Amino acid sequence: MSLQLDEVKRIAMLARIAVSDAEAASVRDQLNDIFAMIEKMQAVEAPGVAPMAHAQDVMLRLRDDAVTESDRHQAFQAIAPQTEAGLYLVPRVID
Amino acid sequence: MHNASLRELADALAAKRISAVELAGLFLGRIASAQPDLNAFVTVDRERTLAAARAADARIARGDHGPLTGIPIAHKDIWCASGWRTTCGSRMLANFTSPYDAHMIERLLAAGAPILGKCNMDEFAMGSSNETSWFGPVRNPWHKAFVPGGSSGGSAAAVAARLAPAATGTDTGGSIRQPAALCGVSGLKPTYGIVSRYGMVAFASSLDQGGPFGKGAEDLALLLNGMAGFDARDSTSLERAPEDYTRLLDRPFADTPAGRPLAGLRIGLPKQYFGAGLGAEVAQTVETALEEMRKLGATTREVDLPSSDLAVPAYYVIAPAEASSNLSRFDGVRYGHRAEQYGDLIDMYCRSRAEGFGPEVKRRILIGTYVLSHGYYDAYYVQAQRIRRLIADDFARAFREVDVIAGPTSPSVAFELGAKTADPVQMYLNDIYTIPANLAGLPGMSIPCGFGEKDLPVGLQLVGDYFSEAKMLGVAHQYQRATDWHRRVPPGY
């Protein structure tokens, strides 16, 4: 497998990371080196093996449907890039 | 005093031979002197630390104290601490002051341990040399042209140079054990689920686990007593009865004869950990340590972990996949870096993330995004999870025959700054012996066992079965009673 430049740009867009054309070329080369290392894993035949998603077989716990958090929006918004009247400001998405 | 063990420090505090304020002041002074050379800290807040130390002194004065009260602890800058800048080594969080405490921080503060400062680290814990930090690399106190390892490089360097009596870190693929080895200190990654990750900036959630750095195993046991505990806010936190991790330090095995405290211990040596790629001097130093353990009564035998060589490839699918998901939260909206110039909302995300993340973090997000994308999920992510099962099964088979697995922590001693930054794959192979324990969720530790090339430290890795921390700490403590590698201090410190 070898990634092409347009695939690198597509992935970067999916990941919401801006890359310049110059960056994309060097990123492609590095990713291809890394995927060459990863390929080794794909040669292994393991069809009957159950995928292991997690180190411990834990069940998600349930808790009472009760309010556990206090209102701390002022503390949280104090560290936000841009807020107004208790709202986070972002560029307009709907005209 | 800066070379004292935690138990010695606790005794000195209880006997009022030193106050918590004096102790904090001593270490703050050492940090200030060493910072230009080592860059082990991102944030120091003298007044905040001293205020906590004064509170600890008040507790000691009224007899309300435990083994960690008044002992200042440095924290990897991945742990949120209320009122402290928490950067995770990234420009993305360079101005992020946490509005809350991590569970682990809450516990240590409740035990009376002041926060000594926040330690430098690889950006978002992605690295094996501490060179990906936005705040510059940490240098190895044993040789300043060499890396301290990573990603918890600042924590390891701080304990090695005696800038802190103890420190915390996190280990996703070796980020506690490898820097502990390269800096000549002891470090423990507990069983997955023992230490809550609430308030720890997430990297790869099925692998991340917090743990302590100390000079010796006894320090690690005392620290883990403080750090571990159930927390409903981390869905992977295990509901287990509290455990005293110091209980087997003096007697890891019952009824052992005098002079042979490890009699009965069966140590497994994975043949895959002693093959091609292992440096000659590291191999020799580890063998000498194993010989010492045999003198103490242990027996060794070869074990087979046949899927070991697939661990690094599987890890570099699973960890980036989970990272790409976890790091999608950094969007420049609610906290963290936002670009100055942008057009629409998508452009704001793209530019903020391009500016806020460094090259290694971007690489891993891109790998993760690709392997999770439509048409590739089964070939990469599901296949990696199958390999993960094979690796966990290898360990389960081995632990039917042996009590603990031992081998090198890292294939080489510390390398020079810049030596591997241009070749990510070479950098990734540093963690070849540490990654398998993360994939399986097993506890692992590294203890100093001698010196290799250029008089740089070598670490001995121990991997135990699930929840066997107390026994592993006992094995390490008995080794450390018979040797003094963990007491060696870098020249000049």
Side-chain angles (χ1 to χ4, degrees):
Chain A
M1 184 208 88
S2 189
L3 284 174
Q4 304 303 311
L5 211 53
D6 59 334
E7 286 176 292
V8 171
K9 289 182 181 170
R10 184 180 66 86
I11 300 163
M13 186 60 198
L14 287 172
R16 300 290 186 262
I17 295 174
V19 285
S20 67
D21 288 347
E23 279 175 312
S26 77
V27 166
R28 176 198 56 195
D29 296 344
Q30 284 170 334
L31 292 188
N32 281 331
D33 283 350
I34 295 165
F35 277 108
M37 181 268 286
I38 291 172
E39 295 296 310
K40 185 176 183 182
M41 172 197 86
Q42 291 182 297
V44 177
E45 298 271 344
V49 178
M52 178 174 165
H54 222 264
Q56 303 277 350
D57 290 323
V58 285
M59 299 286 286
L60 284 178
R61 281 180 295 276
L62 297 175
R63 64 169 176 82
D64 292 337
D65 185 13
V67 175
T68 56
E69 301 292 321
S70 56
D71 176 9
R72 296 192 61 206
H73 81 271
Q74 282 177 334
F76 297 146
Q77 293 201 328
I79 51 172
Q82 230 185 334
T83 60
E84 192 180 296
L87 302 170
Y88 294 100
L89 295 191
V90 295
R92 180 182 295 274
V93 263
I94 304 167
D95 284 319
Chain B
M1 193 60 81
H2 58 267
N3 281 316
S5 72
L6 296 190
R7 197 158 266 173
E8 289 164 345
L9 288 179
D11 289 347
L13 285 161
K16 305 203 172 52
R17 291 197 298 276
I18 192 168
S19 71
V21 168
E22 287 166 338
L23 195 59
L26 168 76
F27 284 105
L28 286 167
R30 293 182 62 81
I31 292 169
S33 308
Q35 184 64 11
D37 280 346
L38 299 182
N39 196 29
F41 284 78
V42 174
T43 304
V44 174
D45 186 338
R46 187 180 178 84
E47 290 316 311
R48 203 176 273 272
T49 301
L50 291 175
R54 279 192 291 276
D57 277 329
R59 281 180 63 170
I60 293 166
R62 61 175 189 264
D64 169 29
H65 57 96
L68 296 177
T69 309
I71 293 178
I73 297 177
H75 296 291
K76 186 180 187 181
D77 207 17
I78 197 168
W79 296 101
C80 286
S82 185
W84 287 79
R85 189 162 74 125
T86 300
T87 70
C88 221
S90 181
R91 184 185 184 193
M92 182 61 83
L93 292 173
N95 295 313
F96 174 75
T97 299
S98 176
Y100 72 108
D101 285 325
H103 178 253
M104 185 281 287
I105 297 277
E106 276 176 2
R107 285 187 61 93
L108 290 181
L109 288 176
I115 297 173
L116 184 56
K118 303 295 289 294
C119 288
N120 202 346
M121 56 180 285
D122 276 301
E123 185 180 9
F124 285 105
M126 298 178 194
S128 305
S129 66
N130 217 118
E131 293 173 288
T132 71
S133 171
W134 170 250
F135 301 94
V138 175
R139 292 171 181 271
N140 191 315
W142 291 93
H143 197 317
K144 294 183 191 70
F146 287 71
V147 303
S151 66
S152 314
S155 301
V159 174
R162 307 302 193 242
L163 311 184
T168 62
T170 57
D171 191 315
T172 303
S175 284
I176 289 175
R177 290 161 288 158
Q178 187 255 14
L182 270 46
C183 288
V185 299
S186 300
L188 170 69
K189 179 201 93 74
T191 304
Y192 182 81
I194 292 279
V195 174
S196 167
R197 292 95 47 86
Y198 177 77
M200 187 201 112
V201 181
F203 163 15
S205 299
S206 78
L207 304 165
D208 295 338
Q209 179 61 202
F213 285 92
K215 292 180 283 293
E218 182 188 57
D219 289 1
L220 297 180
L222 289 165
L223 290 161
L224 191 57
N225 277 352
M227 297 168 73
F230 172 67
D231 175 22
R233 296 168 300 184
D234 175 354
S235 62
T236 66
S237 177
L238 298 169
E239 290 187 76
R240 303 179 75 244
E243 197 176 320
D244 175 8
Y245 293 100
T246 66
R247 71 186 188 279
L248 299 178
L249 285 176
D250 292 324
R251 295 181 72 82
F253 294 90
D255 304 324
T256 47
R260 290 171 63 80
L262 298 184
L265 174 70
R266 300 165 301 167
I267 301 176
L269 308 177
K271 60 182 180 189
Q272 289 81 3
Y273 289 20
F274 292 88
L278 177 61
E281 290 194 33
V282 173
Q284 183 55 48
T285 309
V286 167
E287 177 47 44
T288 304
L290 294 170
E291 187 51 39
E292 181 66 38
M293 291 203 170
R294 285 189 281 261
K295 273 190 218 158
L296 296 173
T299 55
T300 57
R301 70 174 78 170
E302 187 178 275
V303 293
D304 192 11
L305 302 175
S307 299
S308 293
D309 62 337
L310 299 171
V312 174
Y315 177 85
Y316 277 95
V317 171
I318 292 169
E322 295 179 8
S324 73
S325 170
N326 274 324
L327 272 62
S328 65
R329 77 192 60 192
F330 298 104
D331 56 6
V333 175
R334 289 154 301 145
Y335 53 86
H337 179 78
R338 181 188 285 199
E340 289 279 335
Q341 306 282 328
Y342 49 84
D344 62 8
L345 184 64
I346 299 283
D347 191 46
M348 188 192 86
Y349 295 151
C350 291
R351 286 177 190 241
S352 298
R353 289 163 63 81
E355 293 175 8
F357 293 137
E360 178 63 22
V361 173
K362 288 183 202 174
R363 260 196 298 279
R364 297 209 197 180
I365 292 174
L366 294 175
I367 295 167
T369 305
Y370 181 74
V371 300
L372 293 177
S373 64
H374 181 68
Y376 298 99
Y377 182 83
D378 286 339
Y380 286 103
Y381 195 58
V382 174
Q383 174 72 358
Q385 290 185 325
R386 289 200 175 101
I387 303 290
R388 185 174 184 178
R389 174 83 59 192
L390 295 177
I391 287 165
D393 288 350
D394 282 356
F395 279 113
R397 261 193 309 278
F399 284 124
R400 286 202 283 269
E401 294 174 12
V402 299
D403 303 297
V404 69
I405 282 168
T409 305
S410 179
S412 71
V413 295
F415 45 93
E416 283 187 78
L417 281 136
K420 298 187 181 182
T421 43
D423 187 346
V425 172
Q426 281 308 308
M427 188 68 89
Y428 297 167
L429 292 174
N430 280 297
D431 297 328
I432 191 162
Y433 305 134
T434 48
I435 282 174
N438 297 87
L439 290 170
L442 294 165
M445 63 189 296
S446 181
I447 54 174
C449 71
F451 293 86
E453 288 88 345
K454 296 197 164 59
D455 289 328
L456 288 162
V458 174
L460 174 74
Q461 181 176 218
L462 301 175
V463 176
D465 207 349
Y466 300 106
F467 311 116
S468 67
E469 286 85 353
K471 187 192 283 184
M472 290 166 64
L473 288 162
V475 170
H477 183 60
Q478 292 305 319
Y479 173 77
Q480 291 180 332
R481 285 183 60 178
T483 59
D484 71 347
W485 303 114
H486 64 297
R487 291 204 192 86
R488 303 290 182 96
V489 184
Y493 296 98

